[in-house]
Amino acid sequence: MNKSAILHIPMSQYAYGVDEEHVTIRLRTQHNDIETCTLYFGDRACRQTPVIFTEQKMEKVLECERYDYFEATLEKPYKRLNYYFKLQDQNETWLYYGDCFCKETVDDRSEYFQLPFNHRADIVSPPDWAKDAIIYNIFPDSFATGKNHISQKELSLDYQGQEVKGKLGGTIRGITENVDYLVELGVNAIYINPIFAAGEYHKYDLLDYYHIDPCFGTDEDFKELVKVYHENGIRVIIDGVFNHCGWKFFAFEDVVQKGPDSKYADWFYGLNFPVVRPDDWETYPNYECFGYERMMPKLNLSNPEAEEYFCNVGKYWVREFDTDGWRLDVASEINDDFWRRFNREVKSVKKDAILIGEVWETANHWLDGKIFDSAMNYDFRKHSKRFFAEHSIDAKEFANRVADMYMRYRKQTTFAQLNVLDTHDVSRFLSVCHENRETYRLAVVFQMTFPGMPSIFYGDEQGITGIAENDYRSPMPWDQRNEEMFSMYQELIALRHKEELLRRGDFRIIQSAYKDVFAFERYKGNHAIRVIINMSEEDIEISPDSNDVQVLYQAGYENGKIKSKGCLILKH
């Protein structure tokens, strides 16, 4: 028995309350090393010594080349748990508790693993609608000026004495007037990159957090957008830029003018007086910024007044405009106490508002239920890039990474992750695939069938390409519609909407005899949907198990074979 591969972490994604009546316990072992895993659990407050333990066999819910994952969900267990595991292979049996391997139990209950209390306040509960969400990410400057049209005209307007710019002419009304297009596509939520008054076209250098940028329109335009989208069954998520502001933001302007005497001096990090705004980007500023971007001074949200100001911003757009949540920029660089308060304040206005953190790395720290509901799952893109676009890893290694991605968080959190192939910050995935539409399609099939919220960056469904920023933020090609690509997305989105298992079913990897075939199932009870993706250079034979199997989707499947770069989705 390889004890070094065995992992259990109390009070984490390995032991957590699903709700007040269910607790999930997980254990990781080396692949094919453990034959049976049994959980023993008891009431840690039991008046009897030794504690009476109840036995429950754990199910192997996921396996890959490296690890097996065992899981048991306890129904109406004790509020206070102590527990241990019994592990058996062909040669030996061990009891595992307190991070130790033992041959016998002990009377001292404190030596076992503990879940001190399954407290309702600690249960992670993303909005239930996230499981069903398919999100369309709109970069407002690039999307639309009006119905099926974008002007591609640069703008320079005055906002309270400051210049604000637009590059391609996108507007709020343009988004509103194209709601029918998104209804036709089938999405049920949009996430809009920043729309508040700011200097540059991307609007990440904010001037005013309380008003729409005039290049995009007016506050009333945005109120109408939310109304229209809600009437069409589409939720609206907006972008919150709170790590930094623009260098002409009123508080930073006051600091530049008054120096250490400014009442806003503690709103910012790393100030050196006198504060000087460099004329060119090559000169390092003498104040802390987002990266070293001189136009984006970093905010200090541990300052009580700054914290109050930006929490009020968070509530304002949800309360006054009925938005459905925030995507939160550079979320990992902001102090936790601010985010905890922001969470409480926003959800006091709308309980099922969603908070999605921009965290490029593993986001467990921020997903404890007190900070964010979700994170941008850039690992989804990274692993998909390696397997589908570059083919630098085979299906077994891809399965290892996917298994880690699935088990990394509590299940309810995994189902709320924002699964991205591309965003406004990275090259278009179609370009990363060298514009090979067959491999691109396989990545989209995976995105639309894996647990979590699929995120489509505007124009993906029209085949927009681009490696550099100017290209991957290019204008929406309204006058050159790619009907083939649109139909592919439309069909896969409709399939996800139709099949509840693809939105809410559990997940398991199916071992394949082929090196470059990745297969998995979404299942619940005796019902399952199997997805088979053939990234190999050869056709593979596949025979449905019975006449009850239904083909839900196929690309390159005929005569019992899935062609190279083809796929098959079966329901049984």
Side-chain angles (χ1 to χ4, degrees), residues 455-481:
S455 177
I456 305 161
F457 193 38
Y458 83 95
D460 281 347
E461 78 289 357
Q462 293 297 337
I464 287 183
T465 58
I467 297 295
E469 179 180 303
N470 286 339
D471 296 324
Y472 60 72
R473 297 179 185 176
S474 59
M476 183 74 171
W478 292 109
D479 56 348
Q480 297 176 342
R481 279 190 60 160

Side-chain angles (χ1 to χ4, degrees), residues 44-70:
R44 75 190 295 259
C46 177
R47 295 182 178 182
Q48 184 174 339
T49 301
V51 172
I52 299 172
F53 285 96
T54 300
E55 175 184 328
Q56 181 162 327
K57 185 177 180 181
M58 300 186 73
E59 179 186 359
K60 186 191 293 187
V61 294
L62 196 64
E63 57 181 305
C64 58
E65 187 181 31
R66 294 194 190 118
Y67 301 117
D68 292 338
Y69 295 88
F70 290 86

Side-chain angles (χ1 to χ4, degrees), residues 258-406:
K258 298 178 183 177
D261 294 330
S262 170
K263 66 179 181 179
Y264 302 108
D266 192 45
W267 279 37
F268 299 93
Y269 264 101
L271 299 179
N272 291 281
F273 298 105
V275 172
V276 178
R277 291 178 284 215
D279 292 330
D280 62 274
W281 67 270
E282 293 179 336
T283 302
Y284 283 81
N286 66 344
Y287 46 88
E288 192 74 41
C289 299
F290 163 61
Y292 296 104
E293 174 48 65
R294 70 194 195 285
M295 299 171 72
M296 300 179 186
K298 182 173 175 60
L299 290 157
N300 171 26
L301 297 181
S302 63
N303 173 278
E305 289 78 22
E307 178 185 78
E308 179 79 13
Y309 179 90
F310 288 101
C311 283
N312 285 338
V313 170
K315 290 188 292 185
Y316 175 78
W317 290 95
V318 177
R319 182 183 64 243
E320 301 299 325
F321 293 81
D322 197 24
T323 57
D324 299 291
W326 290 90
R327 177 269 188 186
L328 299 159
D329 190 55
V330 200
S332 58
E333 294 189 21
I334 296 176
N335 58 298
D336 292 350
D337 281 349
F338 171 78
W339 285 135
R340 292 188 183 102
R341 179 176 174 187
F342 187 88
N343 182 306
R344 293 194 303 272
E345 298 274 9
V346 169
K347 289 180 183 288
S348 72
V349 177
K350 181 179 280 193
K351 187 176 181 180
D352 70 345
I354 196 167
L355 301 180
I356 306 169
E358 185 200 13
V359 181
W360 289 57
E361 59 272 24
T362 300
N364 245 323
H365 174 79
W366 296 272
L367 296 173
D368 63 352
K370 304 296 193 302
I371 298 180
F372 307 136
D373 301 300
S374 168
M376 298 185 74
N377 191 358
Y378 274 101
D379 275 356
F380 185 94
R381 169 187 164 85
K382 177 176 68 178
H383 303 327
S384 295
K385 178 182 176 183
R386 299 287 186 271
F387 183 55
F388 296 110
E390 298 174 352
H391 207 189
S392 56
I393 60 174
D394 62 18
K396 287 186 177 180
E397 177 57 26
F398 184 61
N400 291 334
R401 298 182 181 204
V402 169
D404 173 76
M405 198 162 57
Y406 181 71

Side-chain angles (χ1 to χ4, degrees), residues 387-388 441-442 445-446 449 510-514 516-522 529-536 540-545 549 551 553-557 560-563 565-572:
F387 183 55
F388 296 110
R441 177 182 56 209
L442 296 183
V445 166
F446 177 56
T449 53
I510 306 299
Q511 299 299 308
S512 172
Y514 298 94
D516 282 316
V517 173
F518 178 65
F520 62 91
E521 285 186 342
R522 303 294 305 276
I529 292 176
R530 179 169 293 191
V531 181
I532 306 167
I533 294 172
N534 181 16
M535 271 295 294
S536 72
I540 63 167
E541 292 188 9
I542 175 72
S543 298
D545 297 332
V549 172
V551 175
Y553 181 87
Q554 64 86 18
Y557 172 70
K561 290 184 177 181
I562 304 176
K563 293 185 177 181
K565 308 302 184 293
C567 65
L568 181 64
I569 302 178
L570 301 171
K571 184 176 183 179
H572 58 90

Side-chain angles (χ1 to χ4, degrees), residues 68-215:
D68 292 338
Y69 295 88
F70 290 86
E71 183 176 284
T73 295
L74 312 180
E75 185 173 359
K76 295 184 178 179
Y78 309 106
K79 291 288 186 183
R80 307 164 180 85
L81 288 178
N82 51 185
Y83 57 95
Y84 67 92
F85 304 94
K86 182 180 179 181
L87 310 174
Q88 295 174 289
D89 65 12
Q90 290 183 343
N91 302 312
E92 54 186 340
T93 299
W94 288 96
L95 306 182
Y96 179 48
Y97 54 84
D99 294 327
C100 299
F101 294 90
C102 307
K103 287 294 185 180
E104 298 178 347
T105 57
V106 292
D107 289 346
D108 188 348
R109 67 191 67 189
S110 69
E111 293 191 25
Y112 297 107
F113 289 119
Q114 310 286 327
L115 196 156
F117 195 90
N118 183 26
H119 202 291
R120 69 172 66 98
D122 293 330
I123 293 169
V124 176
S125 301
D128 187 63
W129 60 261
K131 294 176 183 176
D132 302 319
I134 300 175
I135 294 179
Y136 191 84
N137 176 192
I138 296 174
F139 195 74
D141 182 69
S142 302
F143 186 63
T145 310
K147 179 73 171 177
N148 298 331
H149 167 70
I150 184 163
S151 70
Q152 301 191 46
K153 292 181 179 178
E154 292 189 12
L155 280 175
S156 176
L157 300 176
D158 177 84
Y159 183 80
Q160 299 179 0
Q162 301 294 337
E163 183 185 27
V164 294
K165 301 175 185 176
K167 188 175 182 181
L168 294 174
T171 65
I172 297 296
R173 285 188 179 180
I175 300 173
T176 305
E177 291 176 10
N178 286 287
V179 66
D180 291 348
Y181 173 82
L182 297 183
V183 170
E184 182 186 3
L185 183 62
V187 300
N188 54 13
I190 59 171
Y191 146 47
I192 314 176
N193 291 106
I195 52 177
F196 309 140
E200 298 299 313
Y201 80 99
H202 50 67
K203 306 305 171 190
Y204 282 95
D205 58 330
L206 276 96
L207 291 169
D208 190 335
Y209 287 82
Y210 280 96
H211 292 289
I212 299 297
D213 189 285
C215 293

